[in-house]
Amino acid sequence: MTKVLRYLKPHILSLVFAVALICCTVICDLSLPTLMSNIVSTGIQQGGVEDAAPAAISQNGYKLMTTFMTEEEKELTEASYTLTKANTQDKNSDRYSLLKTEDIYIRNALRSEELSALDDCFSNATLTFYNMMEQQQQQSGQSAQTENAGSSESSEISLEKLYAMLPQFEQIPQAQIDALHNENDHQQELLASQTGIAMAKMLYQDVGANTDNMQIGYIIKTGALMVGLTLLSGVATVMVSLLSSRIAAGVARALRRDIFHKVTNFSNHEFDTFSTASLITRTTNDVTQIQLLLTMGIRMAFQAPITGIGGTVMALQKSVSLGWVIAASVLALLCLIGMIFVIAMPRFTKMQTLVDEVNLVARENLSGIMVTRAFDNEEFEKGRYDVANQNLAKNQLFVNRAMVMMMPAMMFIMNLTSLAIVWIGSYQIADSAMQIGDMMAFMQYSMQIIMAFLMIAMMFILVPRAAVSANRIKEVLDTEVSVKDPETPVAMDPNKAGLVEFKDVSFRYDNADTNVIEHISFTAEPGKTTALIGSTGSGKSTLINLVPRFYDCTEGQILVGGVDVKDLSQQDLRHHIGYVPQKGMLHKGTIASNIAYGNPDATPEDLAVAAAVAQATDFIQTKEEGMNSPIAAGGSNVSGGQRQRLSIARALAVKPDIYIFDDSFSALDFKTDAALRRALKRYTDNATVLIVAQRVGTIRNADQIIVLDEGKIVGKGTHEELLKNCPVYYEIASSQMTKEELE
């Protein structure tokens, strides 16, 4: 997984920008519950009054509040307000109508910590006043409900009556005020704040402020801020999705490119290790899993922990006593995620292997559909596919069921958490230990925390499968290619162009007990044709595949142009070879593009000559578009003989020093075979020709025929020589030729 993630390096700036946007989104999302709480608590319950220390206060109000303050609080209050003379031209006179006729105190510009300290002064003074009123009521035998002092009681108090009682209040000894102040320390901070806000609202009304406009203005301002944050969060989320998609697509593109380049450099040995279906799955489905993880995971991987931690901090700021509800919910979620992870992880590991199986069966069936139909085995192939498909479906259903169970369980935990918060929070609200807005905010923060863990759960779904895919991709990228270019390639000897020499060559496949070919020595010279013949499995194709280094020989040397092929660069070596495989493989395109595949610079005349030598001109001319006629992938829209002739023309268009025909005439009729060999003789007069054949008639005129049996040379010479002194060749020839032809 680490190696695959290195592909993120070119996208590091985009990733950093995406993380910054994610942080922006989280900050916006975490701010919304607090703003909602402010609308409920401050905007609705407190009438839009934010501070216990009013921005403006009448002289009587000032005397009343300072009467119930300590000396230190009086000093702070005196430093925080300025007495403003009555003036109709003052900008504050529009907000506070009392200023038009009377002098009032205007609060100075204060820093946040100074304003907070001033709020405490007014809150404590208000609560001290209510404590004093409670004592007087108790002494007079009247009942007082001090629990509601911050709400209903304060609304029943008339400031005019209180101002009339100011002379009496000023007679109260400071010691008594301080004693009442000390009682505040044992009462709840929230109660003091609520009573202070209630008193501040009356003081605003006293100076002629429109408290209704204050309330509406606060709600609109806070609501507008919420809308702005929501829009900002939405834009940031869209940008994160865009960046994540671009990063994921870029990584997927690079992975597919590197896998393809790696596979292109594989020798036949590596292709024997990985099946074609598996390599296709790794290039497509496995890369898609990595892309899906990055598309969704970039946001989840960063947003989930930030939201979880930030939500926890914000929630505890609202209520520490309810923190255990979040802890219990998170613990339940972790247990749920852990249980599902243990159950589903092995199935995720198995998923990609099952996809390989389905692709393998499908590919085999589609490639061999004619054979399947010829032997009436459609039902058998359907059964094979059904088995592979059912295994994959059962595995996917098991995983999906495990994941489906997680969602209702998550919702149950979320709803149970909400119920617990409302249940416990209602008691705290009744005890004036929490405000309704704070409880609502706490509930939203708890949901955000749970959603963060839901994101983590989604990561547990995506990461295991992506990790399996990453390991499968890593297997391909880390595979050591067995056929490598030398560090310092050697150039061929121009005087030995086309010369091919086998010197005591042996070869065995990996993990095989015996050699496929042993102690092979012969020389193929330019201007001559060397043919290889032998029974099936004698090692003819294996031997010929050693020349272009599809495999490297285990022992001995193969020299081309006087240089060991292991000392040549593969590009230089194969540039001098025109190779025609057993099975003619064509690419999607046109006839012209396929013939020019090995020589893109070939002129139309070169292509026409190559097609003529390969005896392909006749069927090309029958097509309406001629050389521009389309060829389907694999050459499925032409016959086997036509594919072979186009493959031969493709090799001829390269004009190499060496031609290799690996049983490339098997699909041709005898007439075409003979005509082709005559044309080849003239066209390849100066080149080295290596032919692997099954038919003696194809190679009887070769300058040198090498007979293989069980991987060893059992005969070497011309057709006539081998008939006389090689029993294996005579046996092959007698099975194909008449008695008169043998004599």
Side-chain angles (χ1 to χ4, degrees), residues 418-621:
S418 299
L419 181 62
I421 292 171
V422 173
W423 182 274
I424 299 169
S426 61
Y427 284 102
Q428 295 191 4
I429 292 171
D431 293 336
S432 296
M434 175 182 265
Q435 290 185 307
I436 296 175
D438 289 341
M439 185 191 73
M440 295 173 64
F442 188 93
M443 189 183 304
Q444 289 194 20
Y445 283 128
S446 64
M447 294 303 103
Q448 288 181 343
I449 294 169
I450 292 174
M451 289 302 296
F453 278 89
L454 181 59
M455 290 184 190
I456 294 174
M458 289 296 295
M459 292 295 292
F460 276 109
I461 297 173
L462 296 173
V463 169
R465 189 171 183 182
V468 173
S469 297
N471 288 332
R472 285 161 52 86
I473 292 171
K474 183 174 180 292
E475 286 177 3
V476 176
L477 296 177
D478 287 350
T479 298
E480 194 72 23
V481 180
S482 56
V483 177
K484 300 179 182 179
D485 284 339
E487 293 183 4
T488 54
V490 178
M492 292 184 185
D493 186 350
N495 298 322
K496 295 184 178 181
L499 182 65
V500 179
E501 301 172 85
F502 278 72
K503 294 185 177 181
D504 196 28
V505 173
S506 298
F507 173 78
R508 73 169 64 188
Y509 292 103
D510 282 355
N511 302 320
D513 296 328
T514 58
N515 291 330
V516 179
I517 54 176
E518 287 186 307
H519 307 298
I520 303 296
S521 297
F522 69 89
T523 299
E525 299 177 357
K528 295 183 179 181
T529 299
T530 299
L532 300 170
I533 194 169
S535 59
T536 301
S538 60
K540 304 184 297 298
S541 294
T542 301
L543 179 65
I544 214 72
N545 284 336
L546 296 177
V547 178
R549 289 192 75 191
F550 295 153
Y551 295 100
D552 271 341
C553 60
T554 308
E555 300 174 9
Q557 279 185 311
I558 301 173
L559 277 65
V560 173
V563 180
D564 191 327
V565 291
K566 295 181 181 179
D567 294 330
L568 295 168
S569 71
Q570 295 177 64
Q571 184 178 7
D572 185 29
L573 170 65
R574 291 166 186 168
H575 180 71
H576 289 81
I577 297 175
Y579 178 74
V580 185
Q582 284 180 324
K583 182 179 178 181
M585 180 66 189
L586 302 179
H587 295 273
K588 184 177 180 180
T590 64
I591 292 176
S593 68
N594 272 277
I595 297 177
Y597 186 74
N599 183 11
D601 298 327
T603 64
E605 291 75 17
D606 293 334
L607 301 183
V609 170
V613 174
Q615 308 302 304
T617 303
D618 291 343
F619 85 83
I620 292 175
Q621 290 177 345

Side-chain angles (χ1 to χ4, degrees), residues 263 265-279 282 360 479-480 482-483 507-512 516 542 545-546 550-552:
V263 171
N265 292 324
F266 276 179
S267 67
N268 286 15
H269 166 67
E270 283 74 50
F271 283 111
D272 294 338
T273 303
F274 298 99
S275 68
T276 303
S278 179
L279 288 173
R282 293 170 198 243
L360 177 62
T479 298
E480 194 72 23
S482 56
V483 177
F507 173 78
R508 73 169 64 188
Y509 292 103
D510 282 355
N511 302 320
V516 179
T542 301
N545 284 336
L546 296 177
F550 295 153
Y551 295 100
D552 271 341

Side-chain angles (χ1 to χ4, degrees), residues 681-699:
K681 184 67 176 174
R682 294 191 298 270
Y683 189 83
T684 62
D685 188 49
N686 296 320
T688 302
V689 179
L690 296 170
I691 299 177
V692 173
Q694 297 285 354
R695 295 196 302 220
V696 172
T698 303
I699 63 171

Side-chain angles (χ1 to χ4, degrees), residues 1 3-8 11 248-263 282-284 286-291 294 469-470 473-474 476-477:
M1 191 70 174
K3 182 169 184 175
V4 173
L5 291 178
R6 291 176 185 170
Y7 283 81
L8 286 170
H11 309 280
V251 170
R253 180 184 63 241
L255 280 172
R256 285 193 294 267
R257 178 198 63 213
D258 287 357
I259 294 172
F260 184 79
H261 289 176
K262 186 74 174 186
V263 171
R282 293 170 198 243
T283 309
T284 54
D286 286 328
V287 173
T288 301
Q289 295 302 320
I290 301 296
Q291 184 174 357
L294 292 175
S469 297
I473 292 171
K474 183 174 180 292
V476 176
L477 296 177

